[in-house]
């Protein structure tokens, strides 16, 4: 049958209909104080989940067993699970090991946690190493986190998202590194992907009240995939990071 829109258009033939869907999405990019309060709570819960689960990982754990511990922590804190990746020694974040494959010492682990509280969503990535990291990885990770700090320091009102993308890209290129995807961030809120989009073609500018996620995802032949994400609030003073679980120095989990 006809859609509601078709019936309205037929009933009102002299009315000019204008698609405002994109406009509504752009209006949502700037959050109200209540929305920011809800996002703060969601990221606080996600941080607590990381704090409870990540330090407890040991050789022999599986992604499935870690996921089940995460679920318990999420729901015990009033959150709702949406999606996540838990991958160790994987070439691609979407190519996680089988859930029954035990994790071994020396493997790099990537966590990408999406939960919600009061309908507002997180997108929150962290990297750990179980025991001593592979040769050279600590140095590569440090370079990528230098780029992350570069980006955090340049999120400010009026800056073009595309300019930020290219600045980070050129920073990494100096070290023969590059993003594995064609963007390095996006907004979040009621949906996990909202305006502003941080990609080479974006016309978005950062404005006070936006809540962008800086998403640095790399795939390297020697080390596999790894992802760090920080979501923050654009304020008059710059980027206020909502993701307080440590990331600047590579987290090494003891194996004994």
């Amino acid at each position: 049958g006809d859609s509601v829109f078709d019936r309205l258009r037929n009933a009102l033939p002299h009315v000019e209909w204008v698609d405002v869907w994109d406009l509504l999405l752009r209006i949502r990019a700037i959050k109200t104080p209540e929305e920011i309060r809800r996002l703060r709570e969601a990221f606080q819960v996600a941080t607590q989940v990381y704090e409870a689960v990540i330090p407890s990982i040991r050789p022999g754990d599986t992604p499935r067993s870690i996921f089940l511990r995460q679920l318990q922590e999420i729901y015990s804190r009033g959150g709702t699970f949406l999606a996540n990746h838990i991958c160790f020694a994987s070439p691609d974040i979407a190519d996680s090991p089988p859930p029954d494959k035990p994790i071994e010492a020396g493997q790099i682990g990537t966590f990408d946690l999406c939960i919600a509280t009061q309908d507002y969503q997180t997108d929150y990535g962290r990297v750990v190493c179980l025991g001593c990291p592979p040769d050279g990885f600590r140095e590569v990770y440090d370079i990528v986190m230098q780029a992350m700090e570069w980006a955090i320091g340049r999120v400010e009102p009026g800056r073009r998202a595309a300019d930020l993308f290219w600045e980070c890209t050129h920073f990494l290129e100096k070290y023969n590194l590059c993003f594995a995807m064609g963007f390095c961030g996006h907004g979040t809120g009621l949906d996990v992907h909202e305006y502003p989009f941080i990609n080479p073609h974006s016309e978005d500018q950062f404005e006070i009240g936006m809540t962008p996620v800086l998403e640095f995802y790399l795939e390297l032949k020697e080390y596999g995939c790894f992802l760090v994400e920080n979501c923050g609030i654009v304020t008059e003073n710059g980027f206020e990071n909502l993701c307080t679980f440590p990331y600047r120095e590579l987290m090494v989990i003891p194996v004994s």
Side-chain angles (χ1 to χ4, degrees), residues 6 17 80-81 220 250:
D6 289 333
W17 298 91
T80 300
F81 168 77
L220 300 178
L250 177 64

Side-chain angles (χ1 to χ4, degrees), residues 43-44 46-55 109-111 124-129 141 145 148-149 152 227-231 241-253:
F43 278 95
Q44 182 179 35
T47 295
Q48 292 169 352
V49 172
Y50 276 154
E51 290 172 343
V53 173
I54 287 179
T110 292
F111 294 82
Y124 195 161
R126 287 294 185 262
V127 171
V128 303
C129 189
Y141 182 84
M145 290 306 97
M148 173 66 79
E149 295 302 301
I152 286 174
L227 164 77
V228 175
E229 292 175 300
N230 285 303
C231 178
N241 198 345
L242 297 177
C243 300
T244 57
F245 192 78
Y247 69 93
R248 182 59 185 85
E249 304 295 331
L250 177 64
M251 175 170 285
V252 176
I253 303 172

